[in-house]
Amino acid sequence: MGRSKTMNELKSMPRKKILMNVVALAGFLIICMGGGGAIGAVMANDFGDDSDWYISLEKPCFNPPNAVFGPVWAILYFLMAVAAFSVWTKTGFRKRPAPLIFFFIQLVLNFIWPLLFGTARQVFAGFVEIVFLWVFIVITIFLFNSVKGRSWSHILLLPYLGWVTFATVLNWSIYDLNKDNPDVDIGYVVGQ
């Protein structure tokens, strides 16, 4: 029933609106996946096997292999783009801007974290920043859930929240394991 209703709505939609939706979806995909991919490309030497600094860090036993991060982030950025697009189709940027404003704030915070942790090598600052990111993701989830007709869109952000929760624990663990190691520069250390 729901699928045929959606198909009927799509069939009755003017071509101009369909084109606008296709362009908007492409825009969300480019911003999320392209932005994430660009950050990943720029940061390639700051993380993983290409970074002497990152290799020198002591990591917890639950640190995933480096090859996991790229595919996971690609899936998460895709889900984020689809969720934001679905909200946009109901609210636009003018009708009810708060959900998308918070979405873009958390996306900017997402793009900032690797710069703090990897490029600047500020592991504690990265931890503080990722906590703010986590809070903004939770707010975004609540706001997406409140959009009538798109309350399912927040579900697409739950894997992202789970991954960032894991990344927060991982960030803290790396900080905690390396804060007393004089041979590794992790930036600011609390209490020193």
Side-chain angles (χ1 to χ4, degrees), residues 67 118 124 136:
F124 184 76
F136 275 88

Side-chain angles (χ1 to χ4, degrees), residues 114-127:
L115 298 171
L116 279 174
F117 184 97
T119 302
R121 299 178 180 176
Q122 296 293 320
V123 178
F124 184 76
F127 172 73

Side-chain angles (χ1 to χ4, degrees), residues 98-120:
L100 292 174
I101 288 171
F102 276 85
F103 175 82
F104 284 112
I105 291 171
Q106 68 77 31
L107 188 62
V108 168
L109 289 170
N110 177 298
F111 293 161
I112 290 172
W113 180 84
L115 298 171
L116 279 174
F117 184 97
T119 302

Side-chain angles (χ1 to χ4, degrees), residues 36-145:
I39 291 288
V42 168
M43 308 294 301
N45 293 330
D46 297 326
F47 287 99
D49 298 331
D50 293 333
S51 169
D52 292 336
W53 173 77
Y54 189 74
I55 291 169
S56 72
L57 293 173
E58 189 174 341
K59 296 171 201 69
C61 61
F62 57 86
N63 189 70
N66 295 330
V68 169
F69 290 96
V72 167
W73 276 114
I75 293 166
L76 294 175
Y77 285 132
F78 176 79
L79 292 173
M80 291 164 60
V82 171
F85 169 74
S86 72
V87 167
W88 176 84
T89 61
K90 281 293 185 183
T91 67
F93 289 111
R94 293 185 185 146
K95 186 176 176 184
R96 188 168 168 227
L100 292 174
I101 288 171
F102 276 85
F103 175 82
F104 284 112
I105 291 171
Q106 68 77 31
L107 188 62
V108 168
L109 289 170
N110 177 298
F111 293 161
I112 290 172
W113 180 84
L115 298 171
L116 279 174
F117 184 97
T119 302
R121 299 178 180 176
Q122 296 293 320
V123 178
F124 184 76
F127 172 73
V128 171
E129 195 272 354
I130 204 170
V131 169
F132 279 102
L133 169 60
W134 189 92
V135 169
F136 275 88
I137 294 169
V138 169
I139 293 168
T140 302
I141 287 171
F142 278 106
L143 290 170
F144 277 26
N145 185 47

